[in-house]
Amino acid sequence: MSDNGGPSYGPNEPTSFGLQPPRPGPAHVPHEGNPYATAAPPQPQPHPQHQHQHQNQHQNQQPQPTQVVPEQAEPGAGRLVAGRYRLLSKLGHGGMGTVWRATDETVGREVAVKEPRVPDHLPDRERANVFERMRREARAAARLDHPAVVNVHDVAVEDGQPWIVMEFVQGRSLGAALQEGTLGVRDAARVGLEVLGALEAAHAAGILHRDVKPDNVMLGRHDRVILTDFGIAQIEGETNLTDTGGFVGSPEFIAPERVLGQRPGPASDLWSLGVVLYAATEGVSPFRRNNTPATLQSVLNATPAAPASARGPLADAINGLLQKDPARRPNAAQVRALLERAAEPPAPQPTQVVQIGSAQGGLRLGRKALTGIGAGVVALAVAAYLVVANPFAGPLPDGWEKHSEKALGVTVAVPEDYQTGRPTETDTDKNWVTYTDWSGSIRVGVNVSRKKDDTLSQIKGSARAQMYDDDTKFKESGDSDLDMPEGAETTPDANAKYKEQDAARNTVVYKTDDTENPLPREVRFFYFKNKAGDMYRVSVGYPGAGDFTDRGREVADDVLTNLDIAEN
């Protein structure tokens, strides 16, 4: 299957970046009025440090926060291009080129310069196509007069190759920001409005972007949002560039009609915007799979889970944009109306009084008290009151005991007659423990994936993302450890909390893969990622039908209620 131009992806290449949870601690804002960017750590060099423009990356690369290194360490730094652009340091690179921070010595301003990236072995015709795409990128962006489109200053020719000279944007990509956490509804809506404005300007000029994704959305100073990388844009009236077997864009953000080889239109870019908004708020890309063919099948056939964090008008916009039929998607004006509603600040709340305890002897806190004495003091007051008023809150069920698993950093409560299973000396994985009742019908398992041991980057960026990743596996391939065939029924919960921190749950129902006597099973899963980046999975499995079902659900409730995971 092919489309016009663009990079070519192999069938087993990964299809997405990993999304990360919010990091604990106070947010660092490098520029006033920019709620998205995190300040870069100070560098031992005389130049001011910023995080910079992050251009389109190849699909199988994990986006990394851009960090300026000393200029003398950069091969090529100091080179003068076209007699006026002095290269200083690399900002990023992708399939079509490397982006440099540079100085325009003619007018004395900082610029971003995109160097063409062409393998030496490439045939002349394909090299010419690469250069032509870069010229088109410059022409497409230069045709657009919109604050959310990166400004192109010049196309310099050096050794017969075009170098695109653009404005230098101080900030980072949305893809890099999502490595640290998702956006709230209002922030996501504001970003969506700016990208929508850039797309409206492009469409009005007869240009389709065709590669709208988080890595191509820059979050700059003073709340500026910029859509970048028009390198594979299709300009109305121009001859198509075709690579045999190639795909334009990133598979998980490509609209279904483009996967089918149909003629794309503005609705195709709007689909991609819907996928971006879903990933920005939910912490996981809805169509991401382990390889490109599976991702394209997902784009064509899979129905994403309803947005959990994005509610109201933003959820309506996302659900509308992800309609498979482009004719059923809302147009730009309808999307704008929904996003504007989602971006509105909340209405002022009337004065409220928090009542703790009885009306006669309880603790009453008004809104002024809540804001005046601070949330920390309120929390202490509430906690102290609860301890005095109810010293027996949260007791263990009768006949239960706690197991302190210090090696795992967790304390688990289970019935005292449950049998404990631990790793043997020959087991390579030591980060687990199980507790099973004598009948073997109910089983509690705790597994910890350590960040320090995660050399293959299998730990997802958040508990929610890990849950959704497992959810996909349960549905598509099952789980041999649980005797689970493919096609399990799941009920994911992405809004769970643990100690006021993000967590996730899932309930999985299936029949075992025993061909002679398949048994119904139900498993509750709980996911939590601590500050050290370790991923905790707690599972409670029990019969899905019969006398033990209610008992299993009761055990699952009590295990998760009394679970205690170390913060570090």
Side-chain angles (χ1 to χ4, degrees):
M1 192 176 298
S2 65
D3 205 335
N4 301 325
S8 177
Y9 298 100
N12 294 314
E13 294 189 41
T15 63
S16 180
F17 50 84
L19 300 176
Q20 305 294 327
R23 293 181 179 174
H28 301 285
V29 182
H31 306 295
E32 183 178 357
N34 181 358
Y36 313 112
T38 299
Q43 300 294 320
Q45 51 184 309
H47 300 286
Q49 300 303 308
H50 303 282
Q51 289 176 306
H52 299 292
Q53 202 160 355
H54 183 79
Q55 294 296 324
N56 183 36
Q57 295 182 317
H58 191 276
Q59 191 180 9
N60 65 355
Q61 291 177 317
Q62 295 289 335
Q64 300 294 329
T66 302
Q67 191 176 48
V68 177
V69 300
E71 294 175 5
Q72 60 270 24
E74 294 279 9
R79 178 181 178 183
L80 190 65
V81 176
R84 66 183 288 183
Y85 305 110
R86 182 75 63 183
L87 305 183
L88 301 178
S89 60
K90 291 180 181 179
L91 300 177
H93 60 85
M96 291 183 61
T98 299
V99 181
W100 292 82
R101 179 170 66 93
T103 297
D104 183 346
E105 295 187 344
T106 300
V107 296
R109 67 178 171 186
E110 277 196 315
V111 293
V113 179
K114 189 170 186 178
E115 173 188 7
R117 185 181 183 185
V118 184
D120 294 335
H121 65 273
L122 210 62
D124 290 343
R125 180 177 177 274
E126 295 186 29
R127 291 172 63 86
N129 279 351
V130 171
F131 295 157
E132 180 58 26
R133 284 194 202 99
M134 293 193 69
R135 295 187 185 96
R136 287 192 179 189
E137 175 181 3
R139 286 198 298 270
R143 289 173 62 165
L144 305 179
D145 182 15
H146 193 278
V149 176
V150 67
N151 291 320
V152 172
H153 301 313
D154 188 13
V155 177
V157 178
E158 180 81 4
D159 297 330
Q161 300 184 6
W163 295 57
I164 301 177
V165 182
M166 302 167 285
E167 66 171 313
F168 177 65
V169 180
Q170 295 183 7
R172 60 176 176 173
S173 72
L174 175 60
L178 294 179
Q179 292 289 303
E180 297 182 2
T182 56
L183 300 185
V185 169
R186 291 179 60 203
D187 286 340
R190 286 197 292 264
V191 170
L193 282 168
E194 294 300 318
V195 175
L196 177 64
L199 291 176
E200 287 177 305
H203 297 161
I207 298 170
L208 298 180
H209 188 281
R210 301 199 299 172
D211 200 19
V212 179
K213 60 183 180 181
D215 284 346
N216 287 341
V217 178
M218 288 292 298
L219 307 177
R221 298 179 64 182
H222 311 302
D223 284 351
R224 189 179 174 202
V225 178
I226 307 103
L227 181 62
T228 69
D229 211 331
F230 282 79
I232 60 173
Q234 180 175 336
I235 304 176
E236 188 175 16
E238 292 199 357
T239 304
N240 290 331
L241 298 174
T242 302
D243 284 345
T244 303
F247 253 114
V248 170
S250 303
E252 64 189 293
F253 296 97
I254 290 178
E257 60 270 21
R258 290 189 54 210
V259 176
L260 294 172
Q262 299 171 359
R263 183 178 179 85
S268 302
D269 279 345
L270 294 181
W271 161 282
S272 302
L273 174 60
V275 182
V276 169
L277 291 174
Y278 190 107
T281 56
E282 304 306 302
V284 62
S285 181
F287 304 109
R288 183 186 65 188
R289 299 297 184 267
N290 291 331
N291 54 63
T292 296
T295 296
L296 297 178
Q297 284 296 325
S298 175
V299 168
L300 289 175
N301 302 313
T303 300
S309 298
R311 295 185 174 87
L314 180 59
D316 293 339
I318 293 173
N319 290 331
L321 291 172
L322 296 187
Q323 292 289 326
K324 306 290 187 185
D325 182 357
R328 298 183 60 186
R329 292 173 207 150
N331 59 33
Q334 293 168 323
V335 175
R336 177 169 293 280
L338 290 170
L339 294 181
E340 286 176 345
R341 286 171 52 197
E344 292 176 354
Q349 297 296 318
T351 301
Q352 296 179 351
V353 174
V354 178
Q355 175 74 43
I356 303 174
S358 65
Q360 291 78 16
L363 177 64
R364 294 173 60 86
L365 298 173
R367 176 169 294 278
K368 289 184 178 180
L370 289 172
T371 57
I373 66 178
V377 178
V378 172
L380 289 175
V382 171
Y385 180 83
L386 291 177
V387 169
V388 173
N390 185 9
F392 304 104
L396 286 177
D398 291 341
W400 281 52
E401 63 181 359
K402 291 186 176 181
H403 295 260
S404 179
E405 304 292 346
K406 294 182 180 180
L408 303 182
V410 65
T411 299
V412 186
V414 295
E416 59 188 12
D417 59 351
Y418 274 30
Q419 304 301 297
T420 304
R422 302 185 189 280
T424 65
E425 292 183 358
T426 59
D427 286 329
T428 56
D429 181 8
K430 306 292 186 182
N431 296 312
W432 60 269
V433 65
T434 61
Y435 309 94
T436 311
D437 78 317
W438 277 99
S439 71
S441 298
I442 302 176
R443 181 180 181 276
V444 179
V446 179
N447 175 269
V448 186
S449 298
R450 300 293 187 189
K451 180 65 175 178
K452 64 181 179 64
D453 299 328
D454 187 31
T455 57
L456 299 178
S457 299
Q458 294 179 331
I459 299 177
K460 302 304 177 183
S462 66
R464 178 187 300 169
Q466 192 75 58
M467 181 272 291
Y468 276 124
D469 188 68
D470 285 356
D471 185 77
T472 298
K473 294 174 183 176
F474 294 149
K475 293 176 181 178
E476 295 183 355
S477 58
D479 188 308
S480 58
D481 291 339
L482 297 173
D483 297 328
M484 180 194 301
E486 64 182 29
E489 297 180 8
T490 65
T491 307
D493 175 10
N495 291 322
K497 292 289 183 180
Y498 177 76
K499 296 182 179 179
E500 303 303 319
Q501 299 181 59
D502 289 340
R505 298 179 185 231
N506 200 355
T507 301
V508 182
V509 178
Y510 64 98
K511 284 189 176 181
T512 60
D513 53 12
D514 186 339
T515 56
E516 295 183 358
N517 185 30
L519 300 175
R521 295 287 293 176
E522 186 171 299
V523 185
R524 297 264 193 95
F525 288 94
F526 172 81
Y527 300 82
F528 178 72
K529 190 174 184 180
N530 68 7
K531 294 179 180 179
D534 299 333
M535 184 68 69
Y536 284 79
R537 287 185 185 87
V538 180
S539 62
V540 184
Y542 43 87
D547 295 338
F548 268 89
T549 303
D550 288 341
R551 174 56 179 165
R553 292 171 179 169
E554 181 182 309
V555 168
D557 289 340
D558 289 332
V559 166
L560 297 181
T561 297
N562 292 281
L563 185 67
D564 187 11
I565 299 174
E567 293 186 4
N568 295 312

